[in-house]
Amino acid sequence: MGLLGAGIGGILGARGGWLWALIGAAIGSGIEEHVRASRRTGSSGGDEDAGSRELFVLGAISAMLAKMAKADGRVSENEVRYCEGVFDRLGLRGEKRKYCIRVFRTAKNDAHSIYAYASSFAAEQTDESVREIVYDILWDLACVDGRLGSAEREILRQITGPLGVNPRLYAWQCSRRHVSEEGARAPTRDDPYAVLGCARTASDEELRNAFRAKAKRLHPDMLRAQGLSEELVGRATEQMARLNAAWDEIKKERGIAS
């Protein structure tokens, strides 16, 4: 490991939290050029933390994917393929991909829980939209076998707190994926209020403000500044489509003018 890599690893490991320690230990010398390139090009706001922010998000995803994959006591072939597919869709090549694999392998067998990693991630990642995207990815992995096991379902229910996302998202994800509380298929539909993160008793103005705030957080430039890769920005585009559809449904139901 070169001087820059050692320095970044030391800084990350010293910042506190299980996730920072894991990421600091996983950084190798090949990551240095990625961080240097971020600093030269001024990406993600032009500061020298641009590269480390991306590594932090990727590390969090890798660690929590590992814990979710092992939720039922074993890692299935489908889950391994899905995790590899996540890395592919993130556009990970070379040292960055090796870094994510190191994080995944270490987290899969360490003593820390997925909740500890989620809490560490939420403490540093202040943008709720980014945390919601990570929660959506965890749902994708949990359902990759074609069913939602009891252990995975309980993680998805409980992790909303440590991850810092609206607990209503659990019910909304069940609805969107047609999964009941028991894991069986259920003929339910999306709750537009849950998409906005609001109760049905919210006023029209509260709903409008929630929609605008969430739409602003989902802007691609805002998300890139938080260290999201283009693949994750693409997921935000999907979330924006759901948000628009939910707001349109609420406006129609309540007779709210555009």
Side-chain angles (χ1 to χ4, degrees), residues 237-248:
T237 302
E238 296 175 8
Q239 287 196 354
M240 190 67 221
R242 297 171 194 162
L243 182 64
N244 284 328
W247 179 231
D248 286 344

Side-chain angles (χ1 to χ4, degrees), residues 76-96:
S76 72
E77 291 185 7
N78 281 345
E79 288 165 334
V80 170
R81 283 195 295 270
Y82 174 76
C83 292
E84 290 176 347
V86 169
F87 296 154
D88 287 339
R89 292 193 297 275
L90 288 172
L92 297 178
R93 300 290 184 272
E95 291 300 322
K96 280 203 292 182

Side-chain angles (χ1 to χ4, degrees), residues 15-236:
R15 292 189 62 168
W18 301 119
L19 182 54
W20 281 118
L22 177 67
I23 291 172
I27 289 177
S29 59
I31 297 294
E32 296 181 35
E33 181 53 34
H34 167 66
V35 178
R36 285 198 183 99
S38 297
R39 293 165 67 178
R40 286 197 301 267
T41 60
S43 63
S44 299
D47 61 70
E48 65 181 33
D49 285 337
S52 62
R53 278 201 302 270
E54 181 181 2
L55 295 179
F56 176 67
V57 174
L58 292 176
I61 291 171
S62 301
M64 287 188 278
L65 282 177
K67 294 300 184 182
M68 180 61 74
K70 204 174 180 181
D72 57 1
R74 65 183 182 86
V75 180
S76 72
E77 291 185 7
N78 281 345
E79 288 165 334
V80 170
R81 283 195 295 270
Y82 174 76
C83 292
E84 290 176 347
V86 169
F87 296 154
D88 287 339
R89 292 193 297 275
L90 288 172
L92 297 178
R93 300 290 184 272
E95 291 300 322
K96 280 203 292 182
R97 186 184 182 92
K98 292 178 183 178
Y99 153 78
C100 286
I101 291 172
R102 285 197 296 271
V103 172
F104 182 92
R105 288 176 176 170
T106 302
K108 179 165 63 82
N109 297 313
D110 70 17
H112 309 309
S113 71
I114 191 172
Y115 307 115
Y117 285 124
S119 295
S120 185
F121 177 65
E124 294 288 341
Q125 179 49 260
T126 59
D127 192 313
E128 185 178 3
S129 294
V130 177
R131 300 195 302 271
E132 288 179 358
I133 290 171
V134 172
Y135 185 59
D136 193 50
I137 291 174
L138 293 179
W139 265 93
D140 282 354
L141 178 61
C143 297
V144 75
D145 286 331
R147 58 179 297 274
L148 186 61
S150 58
E152 294 157 331
R153 186 174 64 249
E154 191 61 22
I155 285 175
L156 292 167
R157 188 202 314 272
Q158 293 189 19
I159 204 171
T160 57
L163 191 56
V165 299
N166 193 312
R168 291 190 183 93
L169 283 179
Y170 172 76
W172 176 71
Q173 288 279 1
C174 286
S175 173
R176 183 170 78 89
R177 298 166 190 271
H178 307 296
V179 174
S180 75
E181 290 288 316
E182 293 73 32
R185 308 298 287 182
T188 55
R189 68 179 185 87
D190 290 355
D191 180 354
Y193 292 88
V195 176
L196 267 65
C198 295
R200 287 185 170 269
T201 54
S203 68
D204 291 356
E205 188 62 23
E206 288 172 333
L207 291 166
R208 188 186 300 276
N209 289 338
F211 167 75
R212 288 175 175 171
K214 199 159 190 176
K216 182 178 179 180
R217 292 198 305 269
L218 286 170
H219 190 281
D221 290 343
M222 295 284 288
L223 294 173
R224 291 186 185 103
Q226 295 296 324
L228 262 69
S229 67
E230 291 304 315
E231 161 59 19
L232 294 185
V233 171
R235 278 188 173 262

